[in-house]
């Protein structure tokens, strides 16, 4: 694989040209003998945490594709090791500083040398004069750092593998949420598909059967809201709106099939009625498409039989694919041989269904039902729409091709939240969540402050756009659980019995996850901007109280060279849970957003310091 080739290259470069900064890593090899056991805990993180963050994906997973926050990551339960006392007042370590680069002459002695690593193992190194070189393959995992050789044969070293995405300079309830235009929720591996029944993602993260995760649904909405703001109104080509009685572009498969303009009794809209067999074995009524660039479609459609609407498309390898939207409770299925992907719209006969589909991802998720990602990406990319086909007896309106459907996707999320809110104003999560097996666990039916807060952010934006109070009322209802303790099934914890903390995972003992808490605060902030009366007062009270806690406690998450994901080491006596760079970056992105709405000094200093950690800066030691 390319990866090992790069490693070799790095090795070579490291040896052959001493101009590299990795030389610095070797300086620690000159040590006084007195240091018995260096207390550096060897971090044995094999694969999981870095596998998807390899050098070539740098930046793709910061706020982007795969981290999400939410989904907080598959936390591995780390073993707790007995931690020995640090050798505190040990002697000063002598550190040799290399200020200038060494000139390399090919004849100079380049000797193999054994490097003894903390008396625990031996690594083959190289020695040139006074300089010692450790192999990158050792350095990289040992120090959890990243690097690659670029085309100019420069070795690019990075301490971290994620990128900060600063927010917009101003913020309001209708604004872009953080820099969520960088999120593409639906491409995450654990997202099975965006359903055709409700238009929101369904996840398999903690239950392979698939379920809706409110945080994910909300993030899907917020990301599309952000993308809509960035992209502006879409280009659109209306293929059929039944405003003309000339429907001759539609091709009938047989004499019995027909289309005509009709008036929908329900909406009194002029729509197109179609009648043909509902069997997908027949060709259906076909509308050929000549437009080549618009890869999304929208339609309002209603059926009185088992009808369907299908898109015949072309893949980048020239093959054809059919994406069918059918009456089924099965969200998605693939018939690879026949080139058919089926999306279930649920059982919604005799009612208007609004579909807005991003076909690229519909096709990608279709193939992923049976094929591995590596094979899907390139050769099977969705290229263009060739035909729209309908089956059964039904009515259709607003059939449109477009370059994006972000606003529809945003409203699919908002409407899902309105439909699925329960009596307590919450969106219960129906899977078991094990933060730490046997210690920090949640049984199905738990609520998340992050879910509640992110939902508020979606609903506040939907209200801002529509002025429809249904959205606002749902957001206000979502406040209730913030004033119910975790022990009573709510989301509120108290740090040291005093400070309100809204729990992403309301475990007992509390977990005090930082990013989930801040997401909940942003939701409360959004709501207090748009709400009125009692709703506004309540949102303000809960928000202010949470902000006080955050300002007071934020330092507890600072390790001096990174951040902690939660406070399990304090609340549950477990080993500290360091935030991987993705999450550290999420923390920074969040603080940067908070700085736009709150000018507390603490956020400025924290943001500055935390950004420094990404470049390897550390706080002073004594
Ligand atoms: C519609 O499809 C379902 C399941 O595929 C089938 O049971 C039912 O008989 C069909 N109804 C009609 C009217 O064809
Ligand atoms: C078609 O779109 C128009 C404009 O958005 C809308 O008013 C109308 O209700 C839609 N038609 C149907 C049948 O939903």
């Amino acid at each position: 694989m390319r990866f090992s080739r790069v490693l070799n290259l790095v090795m070579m470069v490291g040896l052959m040209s001493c101009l590299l900064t990795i030389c610095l890593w070797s300086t620690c090899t000159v040590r006084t003998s007195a240091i018995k056991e260096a207390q550096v805990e060897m971090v044995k993180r094999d694969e999981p945490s870095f596998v998807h963050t390899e050098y070539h994906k740098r930046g793709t997973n910061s706020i982007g594709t795969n981290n999400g926050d939410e989904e907080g990551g598959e936390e591995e339960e780390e073993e707790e090791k007995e931690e020995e006392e640090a050798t505190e007042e040990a002697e000063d370590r002598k550190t040799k500083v290399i200020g200038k680069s060494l000139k390399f002459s090919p004849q100079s002695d380049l000797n193999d040398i054994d490097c003894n690593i903390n008396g625990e193992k031996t690594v083959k190194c190289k020695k040139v004069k006074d300089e010692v070189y450790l192999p990158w393959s050792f350095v990289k995992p040992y120090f959890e750092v990243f690097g690659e050789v670029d085309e100019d044969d420069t070795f690019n070293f990075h301490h971290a593998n994620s990128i900060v995405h600063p927010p917009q300079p101003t913020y309001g309830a209708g604004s872009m949420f953080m820099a969520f235009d960088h999120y593409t929720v639906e491409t995450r591996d654990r997202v099975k598909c965006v359903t055709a029944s409700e238009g929101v993602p369904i996840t398999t993260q903690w239950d392979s059967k698939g379920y809706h995760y409110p945080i994910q649904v909300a993030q899907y909405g917020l990301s599309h809201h952000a993308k809509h703001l960035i992209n502006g109104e879409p280009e659109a080509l209306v293929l059929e709106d039944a405003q003309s009685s000339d429907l001759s572009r539609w091709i009938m498969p047989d004499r019995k099939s027909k289309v005509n303009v009709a008036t929908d009794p329900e909406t009194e809209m002029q729509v197109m009625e179609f009648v043909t067999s509902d069997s997908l074995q027949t060709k259906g009524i076909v509308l050929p498409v000549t437009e080549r660039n618009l890869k999304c479609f929208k339609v309002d459609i209603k059926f009185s039989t088992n009808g369907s609407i299908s898109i015949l498309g072309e893949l980048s390898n020239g093959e054809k694919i059919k994406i069918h939207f059918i009456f089924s409770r099965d969200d998605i299925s693939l018939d690879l041989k026949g080139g058919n992907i089926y999306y279930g719209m649920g059982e919604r006969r005799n009612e208007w269904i609004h579909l807005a589909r991003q076909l690229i991802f519909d096709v990608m998720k279709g193939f992923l039902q049976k094929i591995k990602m590596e094979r899907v990406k390139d050769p099977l990319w969705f290229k263009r729409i060739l035909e729209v086909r309908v089956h059964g007896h039904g009515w259709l309106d607003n059939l449109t091709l477009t370059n994006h459907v972000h606003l529809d996707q945003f409203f699919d999320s908002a409407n899902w939240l309105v439909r699925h809110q329960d009596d307590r104003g919450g969106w219960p999560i129906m899977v078991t969540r094990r933060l730490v097996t046997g210690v920090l666990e949640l049984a199905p039916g738990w609520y998340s402050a992050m879910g509640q807060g992110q939902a508020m952010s979606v609903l506040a934006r939907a209200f801002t756009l529509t002025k429809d109070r249904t959205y606002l009322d749902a957001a206000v209802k979502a406040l209730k659980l913030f004033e119910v303790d975790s022990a009573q099934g709510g989301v509120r914890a108290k740090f040291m019995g005093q400070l309100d903390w809204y729990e992403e995972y309301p475990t007992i003992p509390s977990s005090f996850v930082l990013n989930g808490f801040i997401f909940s605060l942003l939701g409360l902030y959004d709501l207090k901007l748009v709400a009125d009366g009692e709703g506004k007062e309540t949102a303000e009270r809960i928000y202010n109280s949470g902000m006080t806690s955050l300002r007071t406690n934020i330092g507890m998450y600072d390790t001096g060279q990174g951040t902690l994901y939660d406070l399990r080491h304090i609340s549950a006596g477990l080993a500290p849970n360091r935030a991987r760079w993705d999450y550290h970056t999420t923390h920074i992105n969040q603080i940067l957003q908070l700085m736009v709405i709150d000018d507390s000094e603490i956020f400025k200093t924290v943001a500055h310091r935390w950004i420094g950690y990404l470049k390897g800066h550390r706080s002073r030691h004594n």
Side-chain angles (χ1 to χ4, degrees), residues 483-496:
E483 296 194 297
V484 179
D485 292 337
S486 303
Q488 268 66 55
V491 300
R492 183 180 60 189
K494 292 251 183 217
F495 185 79
M496 297 291 176

Side-chain angles (χ1 to χ4, degrees), residues 284-413:
I285 298 175
V286 174
L287 179 68
V289 171
T290 50
E291 156 58 43
R292 304 180 70 90
N293 297 316
L294 303 174
K295 298 186 177 81
C296 299
F297 87 99
K298 300 208 266 192
V299 71
D300 290 301
I301 197 160
K302 177 162 90 168
F303 297 93
S304 69
T305 63
N306 274 1
S308 60
I309 179 163
S310 311
I311 301 292
L312 174 70
E314 186 185 314
L315 302 174
S316 46
N317 64 359
E319 281 175 32
K320 304 244 160 70
I321 183 79
K322 279 164 279 171
I323 309 113
H324 307 279
F325 298 88
I326 60 173
F327 280 117
S328 166
R329 293 186 184 282
D330 208 359
D331 289 315
I332 182 169
S333 62
L334 170 71
D335 151 33
L336 193 54
K337 269 213 193 102
N340 295 296
I341 296 170
Y342 302 93
Y343 277 87
M345 299 185 289
E347 297 291 347
R348 293 189 289 164
R349 221 147 303 167
N350 296 315
E351 65 177 90
W352 282 102
I353 297 171
H354 180 72
L355 288 178
R357 308 298 301 186
Q358 203 169 358
L359 291 164
I360 287 182
F361 294 143
D362 284 347
V363 168
M364 178 197 278
K365 291 296 174 183
F367 283 124
L368 283 173
Q369 302 305 306
K370 283 186 187 153
I371 312 176
K372 288 261 180 298
M373 191 67 189
E374 297 79 74
R375 286 189 47 209
V376 178
K377 266 186 186 153
D378 269 4
L380 300 176
W381 202 244
F382 184 82
K383 195 165 137 205
R384 59 171 295 213
I385 299 173
L386 298 169
E387 289 176 10
V388 179
R389 302 176 176 183
V390 289
H391 282 92
H393 175 210
W395 300 265
L396 159 166
D397 193 12
N398 301 324
L399 176 61
T400 307
L401 302 189
T402 164
N403 61 337
H404 72 78
V405 286
H406 297 312
L407 201 58
D408 298 79
Q409 290 169 303
F410 165 72
F411 279 110
D412 282 340
S413 160

Side-chain angles (χ1 to χ4, degrees), residues 60-72:
T60 58
N61 58 343
S62 51
I63 194 175
T65 55
N66 245 351
N67 76 339
D69 132 46
E70 23 152 293
E71 336 219 70

Side-chain angles (χ1 to χ4, degrees), residues 74 81 101 120 177 201 220 233 247 271 327 351 423 433 444 481-482 487 508 517 535 559 570:
E74 296 75 309
K81 293 190 192 129
S101 31
E120 285 182 335
F177 187 83
Y220 175 77
E233 287 303 318
L247 301 175
V271 298
F327 280 117
E351 65 177 90
D423 297 344
R433 174 73 175 112
L481 287 164
F482 281 85
I508 296 170
F517 179 51
T559 67
I570 292 171

